[in-house]
Amino acid sequence: MNATTSASQRIAELRQQLAEASSAYHERDELLIPDAEYDRLMRELEALEAAHPELDDADSPSHQVGGKASSRFAEVVHAVPMLSLGNAFSDEEVHDFVRRIDERLHRKQLLFSAEPKLDGLAINLRYENGVFVQGATRGDGATGEDVSANLRQIKVIPQRLLGEGWPEVLEVRGEVYMPRADFERYNEQARLHGGKVLANPRNGAAGSLRQLDPKVSAQRPLSFYAYGLGEVDGELPPTHSGTLAQLAQWGFPVSDLCQVVEGAEGLLAYYRDIGQRRDGLPFDIDGVVYKLDDREGQQAMGFVARAPRWAIAHKFPAQEQTTTVEAIEIQIGRTGAATPVARLKPVHVAGVVVTNATLHNADQIARLDVRVGDTVIVRRAGDVIPEVVSVIADRRPEGAVPWQMPRSCPVCGAEIVREEGAAAWRCSGELSCPAQRKEAIAHFASRKAMDIDGLGDKYIETLVDAGIVRGVADLYLLDRDQLLVLKLALDADSPEALASQLTPHLQPEGSGDTLNAIIKLDPADAGWRAQALAVPAQFEWNTRKIASKWADNLVAAIANSRNTKLERLLFALGIEHVGESTAKALSAWFGDLELIRRLPWPLFKRVPDIGGEVARSIGHFMDQPGNQQAIDDLLARGVQINDRHPPSAKLRADLTLATLLQDLEIPKVTPVRAKQLAEAFKTVDAIRDESAHNFVTAGLPAETANALVAWLDRDANAALFSAAGAAMQELLLKAPEAAAQATGPLEGKTVVLTGTLAQMSRDDAKARLEALGAKVAGSVSKKTSFVVAGSEAGSKLDKANELGVDVWDEACLLTFLADNGQSA
Ligand code: IVH
């Protein structure tokens, strides 16, 4: 076979693959291969065609603009063809682009309009005498689809132009896109209700716009940015940037990321700037676009086959790539949630090697039908965990079988169960499952919990596997010797290497046994380090010989964490549904761990924002003897709460027999009935022993009376009822007078933090302000007492100025905090 036949074969292959992918994408909104691969194949084809001009063909995908218009919509012949853009992937290619223009135009200065390249769908909007008359997709560039009805649903697209002076005929081109947050929200709903999940925001935009029913498309949140023109019958500014500014005045959204820059250096600086901001933008972009700014220059440059010579797209590294699934495993989280994870053939995605991707849950796997052996598209955007987006069905190997959730936990062997009505499966092993234990310990030690800095996952993993740390309280038994061995074990490459590191530190007696036991371990067993740690040994450390800053710091961090605030400990315990803010509220309302440990769950419902589910979850946690034991151990090992206080005055004001009866969730006992019962019977004891007859006599409907008696008839309910009554009495006795409750100088004030503070983190500032009694809110309103504005404060500061709310700078805040005993 000679070079030309193999080139012609490859060209044929590429043409077929690209044509299939293109028609699937443009006509059916289906993604056969990710963009990056499409671009790569297209470049390969273009290079081959350039090297073999005799094999060129006018029908080649390299000469086509997009897909054919689908027949479901009326056809629109574009008055001015809708072209595509050439691509640049490197600085070099951007320099080439500028050089080509320079060589042809010989200008002193080359100005460009630099713009984000939104990842959506190109459309043409036609206005006649300022009124929107028709909107169409690009289609194959010459003929598109009439999607006017759907475009009318997009609020930011003007139906009538603002201002004056518009050309009689004005066609504006731009990108319809789906903001990322709307995309996420849409998919969350779809996952919940078993609907079709959108592969990416662009597919969301394309699919929505090509809905036949405008009502369906109206439910999908789409947006639009203008970036160019089609047919124009009238005058417009002589530059592209001037035109965009004019379009903005007529009511079109124009991205505020558009900038005029000079020369190749200006373009590349823009590219890097936008690249850095990419993940923080509210929409997906796959690159930036550079356009020669003056229209005269554009005309002089003209066009090549598919694209203008005066513009180019500079692409960012792809966020999607294809790879194959080598295995599907499940990971067990802190509360036992079993999350399937795809182990992938390593692949570079946006500059990072990805080997794992989340599959979210079993339903998601079923919906995508991901199987071991499949070729899949993985996506990694920003710091988000990489995820499997879709399966390339054509590339499925024979014999691949649908995946099923395993019956038992791969870590502890306990049954994997599915909660009623929930999408999640969980391991039923609770804290007997080492995976859950490790997660629970990592959470306990985390910064916003007990803040034990330095205790990373790999240490926890080995300590748990070695049986040294079985629960959170065991952290307080760790000593420096153990940590040193742990560190040496993790740093050692083999059991032998570890043994030789340990030799100088072992006490003479029995040291031979210890070393032998370690050397015998199998280095191929992933658990050998944990096994080595479990070998009993007597050490005699020579502190001068073995210095470890890590161990010293960790010992100090563990010791420091003993003295803690109630909210931290409550959060650290990892009670399901008790996040930071709930922990904080529990601490503020009840003030005492001993109280919270014993309270029947209905009492927790008095705390604003705690409902039945959360209250029950706290009660359930405290009902487990293992959890109570863990709390006892923590206290016995020196954990101390330094902000214990009596229950809040608000609680005292709120807690009455009537509210208690409501909170107990007794069938038919509505707030009105609860109040009636409380007024008639006064105490819990009086109600418990009453008959249905007497409830009716007291004015309750027979239905309610019967429901109450039936409820009380069950032993568990009767016990809960008595316990709740007793707890209420106790709380009322403990609660201070309301007057004694008034605290800091910011009591009753609402503060908003914005911008970046130089001297302290926002969390820190928030905590200090709260300690002085302030409520720290997220948004500015007329009720805001003052706003603290750090550097680069944005819209919140504007809002404060607009509303005339006081603004403090950081220096002012620091002085105030220092004056009130809260200095950093
Ligand atoms: S200009 C003749 N500007 O990228 C110039 N296109 O690969 C035509 N796109 O079809 C396009 N943002 O869908 C231009 N600021 C921008 C753009 C942009 C996104 C899309 C558009 C176009 C594709 C070209």
Side-chain angles (χ1 to χ4, degrees):
M1 191 164 36
N2 63 32
T4 312
T5 40
S6 73
S8 88
Q9 256 176 20
R10 182 65 186 148
I11 288 178
E13 259 170 44
L14 288 166
R15 283 180 182 161
Q16 176 169 1
Q17 223 178 339
L18 288 165
E20 275 171 18
S22 169
S23 75
Y25 174 58
H26 288 282
E27 286 147 38
R28 305 191 300 277
D29 301 320
E30 245 174 59
L31 205 61
L32 291 189
I33 50 179
D35 285 351
E37 194 173 337
Y38 184 90
D39 286 342
R40 210 164 36 236
L41 297 175
M42 181 62 87
R43 306 199 117 210
E44 189 186 342
L45 177 61
E46 284 169 348
L48 281 172
E49 286 174 345
H52 300 274
E54 73 282 6
L55 297 175
D56 205 2
D57 179 343
D59 282 341
S60 169
S62 62
H63 303 306
Q64 314 294 315
V65 177
K68 290 211 175 52
S70 102
S71 55
R72 300 179 307 160
F73 291 93
E75 285 193 351
V76 176
V77 176
H78 297 303
V80 176
M82 288 183 79
L83 296 175
S84 178
L85 286 172
N87 288 325
F89 294 92
S90 66
D91 290 9
E92 189 54 40
E93 288 169 307
V94 175
H95 282 288
D96 290 346
F97 164 71
V98 175
R99 195 174 312 119
R100 284 195 297 272
I101 298 178
D102 198 31
E103 280 166 7
R104 204 176 274 228
L105 300 184
H106 305 293
R107 294 273 175 81
K108 273 210 290 302
Q109 188 193 37
L110 286 180
L111 292 181
F112 294 92
S113 170
E115 309 170 0
K117 185 173 189 298
L118 276 101
D119 207 3
L121 193 72
I123 52 152
N124 184 69
L125 304 171
R126 187 177 173 89
Y127 292 80
E128 291 175 4
N129 298 312
V131 179
F132 176 64
V133 292
Q134 187 182 58
T137 62
R138 182 170 67 172
D140 63 4
T143 310
E145 296 165 326
D146 184 341
V147 287
S148 309
N150 290 343
L151 289 169
R152 285 185 201 281
Q153 309 290 344
I154 301 179
K155 291 191 191 67
V156 298
I157 294 182
Q159 297 299 311
R160 261 169 200 287
L161 299 186
L162 302 178
E164 51 194 26
W166 356 276
E168 219 172 281
V169 173
L170 174 67
E171 288 187 355
V172 172
R173 289 178 179 174
E175 200 84 349
V176 166
Y177 66 96
M178 186 180 271
R180 206 164 355 194
D182 292 314
F183 163 78
E184 301 289 352
R185 213 169 302 135
Y186 182 91
N187 269 359
E188 208 170 288
Q189 287 301 311
R191 274 187 202 118
L192 223 64
H193 301 121
K196 193 171 177 224
V197 177
L198 304 169
N200 53 40
R202 186 196 45 199
N203 265 34
S208 311
L209 209 54
R210 299 172 77 212
Q211 279 292 329
L212 281 172
D213 181 357
K215 276 196 242 93
V216 175
S217 112
Q219 286 159 5
R220 309 235 184 134
L222 296 185
S223 204
F224 172 79
Y225 274 131
Y227 58 61
L229 299 170
E231 185 183 5
V232 179
D233 181 7
E235 281 300 301
L236 282 176
T239 59
H240 180 74
S241 55
T243 304
L244 290 183
Q246 176 63 269
L247 291 179
Q249 284 187 357
W250 286 332
F252 292 96
V254 171
S255 169
D256 54 12
L257 299 173
C258 295
Q259 262 178 39
V260 176
V261 300
E262 189 189 341
E265 292 312 321
L267 295 177
L268 294 174
Y270 179 81
Y271 177 81
R272 285 189 254 287
D273 177 42
I274 300 292
Q276 270 173 8
R277 290 153 71 178
R278 179 185 190 186
D279 294 331
L281 296 177
F283 41 74
D284 275 3
I285 57 176
D286 57 350
V288 292
V289 180
Y290 310 139
K291 299 169 185 171
L292 186 63
D293 200 31
D294 72 290
R295 210 167 351 261
E296 218 179 82
Q298 292 182 358
Q299 269 147 17
M301 288 306 296
F303 295 84
V304 281
R306 298 188 311 149
R309 282 203 195 86
W310 46 265
I312 199 165
H314 191 181
K315 293 281 196 87
F316 289 134
Q319 292 179 315
E320 289 180 2
Q321 290 293 355
T322 45
T323 185
T324 51
V325 176
E326 294 181 333
I328 298 175
E329 291 171 3
I330 62 171
Q331 240 165 30
I332 306 294
R334 172 161 62 85
T335 54
T339 307
V341 177
R343 305 279 174 224
L344 305 170
K345 183 160 167 244
V347 60
H348 274 274
V349 192
V352 170
V353 179
V354 172
T355 50
N356 299 316
T358 178
L359 288 157
H360 296 290
N361 55 45
D363 288 352
Q364 173 81 347
I365 299 192
R367 213 168 295 127
L368 295 173
D369 189 17
V370 181
R371 305 179 184 191
V372 174
D374 270 345
T375 299
V376 293
I377 296 179
V378 286
R379 177 181 169 81
R380 189 191 83 92
D383 297 329
V384 184
I385 306 168
E387 59 172 350
V388 171
V389 178
S390 57
V391 172
I392 301 179
D394 297 1
R395 301 201 204 158
R396 169 164 292 161
E398 252 176 70
V401 287
W403 185 81
Q404 271 189 325
M405 180 62 86
R407 296 272 164 123
S408 57
C409 171
V411 180
C412 74
E415 196 186 350
I416 289 194
V417 292
R418 178 167 212 163
E419 275 170 19
E420 237 175 282
W425 293 71
R426 53 180 75 243
C427 159
S428 57
E430 303 214 344
L431 288 182
S432 69
C433 174
Q436 292 187 51
R437 231 183 288 155
K438 288 173 191 169
E439 295 289 336
I441 293 165
H443 171 76
F444 182 86
S446 64
R447 193 169 59 81
K448 297 202 165 169
M450 302 301 274
D451 194 18
I452 304 178
D453 195 23
L455 192 64
D457 289 352
K458 60 178 183 178
Y459 300 112
I460 295 174
E461 168 114 30
T462 313
L463 287 168
V464 170
D465 288 343
I468 295 173
V469 172
R470 279 151 317 190
V472 293
D474 290 347
L475 292 175
Y476 294 99
L477 296 176
L478 287 173
D479 63 25
R480 189 172 183 274
D481 286 3
Q482 280 172 311
L483 294 177
L484 286 172
V485 186
L486 172 65
K487 179 99 176 101
L488 290 178
L490 282 167
D491 288 346
D493 293 333
S494 65
E496 270 168 42
L498 175 61
S500 79
Q501 289 278 312
L502 289 174
T503 310
H505 306 294
L506 284 167
Q507 289 204 343
E509 309 116 64
S511 69
D513 294 347
T514 305
L515 293 175
N516 277 336
I518 291 178
I519 290 169
K520 266 198 236 138
L521 295 173
D522 176 6
D525 180 342
W528 75 260
R529 292 181 177 86
Q531 291 159 22
L533 240 62
V535 173
Q538 285 292 316
F539 292 97
E540 200 171 66
W541 295 95
N542 179 335
T543 39
R544 264 169 301 136
K545 263 193 204 150
I546 180 125
S548 169
K549 211 164 165 46
W550 171 78
D552 294 339
N553 289 344
L554 185 51
V555 167
I558 292 173
N560 283 338
S561 76
R562 283 198 169 92
N563 191 329
T564 193
K565 286 168 73 176
L566 178 56
E567 61 185 65
R568 276 187 182 269
L569 182 64
L570 287 173
F571 175 57
L573 289 173
I575 305 166
E576 194 167 11
H577 304 307
V578 177
E580 250 182 292
S581 67
T582 305
K584 186 176 277 192
L586 283 167
S587 165
W589 282 71
F590 298 103
D592 182 12
L593 178 64
E594 289 311 315
L595 192 60
I596 294 172
R597 287 176 77 171
R598 290 183 288 103
L599 278 187
W601 66 264
L603 278 301
F604 295 120
K605 287 178 68 185
R606 272 306 95 206
V607 180
D609 298 337
I610 292 188
E613 193 186 2
V614 179
R616 278 195 165 83
S617 168
I618 304 167
H620 174 80
F621 182 93
M622 296 301 179
D623 280 347
Q624 309 303 308
N627 292 333
Q628 289 288 350
Q629 183 65 49
I631 296 175
D632 281 339
D633 290 345
L634 285 168
L635 299 174
R637 292 168 194 174
V639 171
Q640 272 183 358
I641 287 162
N642 58 25
D643 63 345
R644 194 171 151 207
H645 61 78
S648 77
K650 290 196 201 103
L651 181 64
R652 180 192 171 99
D654 250 33
L655 192 57
T656 61
L657 181 55
T659 58
L660 184 71
L661 287 166
Q662 258 177 67
D663 290 341
L664 280 158
E665 298 181 6
I666 305 165
K668 308 263 185 251
V669 178
T670 58
V672 175
R673 301 300 167 210
K675 203 157 162 235
Q676 237 178 331
L677 274 165
E679 273 162 16
F681 296 92
K682 302 284 190 294
T683 67
V684 163
D685 291 340
I687 293 172
R688 195 189 39 224
D689 300 327
E690 218 38 272
S691 65
H693 175 76
N694 285 343
F695 288 137
V696 174
T697 315
L700 247 56
E703 238 193 344
T704 313
N706 288 332
L708 176 56
V709 170
W711 186 84
L712 279 169
D713 218 26
R714 297 189 51 179
D715 288 348
N717 293 338
L720 176 67
F721 193 69
S722 301
M728 177 177 80
Q729 287 310 322
E730 188 189 337
L731 274 171
L732 291 178
L733 284 176
K734 279 192 177 175
E737 291 302 324
Q741 190 63 13
T743 47
L746 295 178
E747 194 66 37
K749 301 252 192 273
T750 304
V751 182
V752 173
L753 293 166
T754 181
T756 313
L757 299 176
Q759 306 275 320
M760 61 178 76
S761 70
R762 265 218 232 173
D763 280 349
D764 212 13
K766 180 168 181 242
R768 287 167 211 270
L769 288 163
E770 281 171 352
L772 299 175
K775 177 169 179 266
V776 177
S779 62
V780 180
S781 74
K782 274 190 300 212
K783 294 205 186 109
T784 308
S785 313
F786 61 90
V787 168
V788 176
S791 59
E792 283 167 43
S795 61
K796 288 180 195 170
L797 177 57
D798 298 343
K799 184 88 186 274
N801 288 328
E802 192 181 303
L803 295 174
V805 170
D806 265 0
V807 176
W808 293 17
D809 62 10
E810 183 167 1
C812 178
L813 173 71
L814 289 172
T815 313
F816 181 84
L817 290 177
D819 288 350
N820 288 282
Q822 288 289 327
S823 50

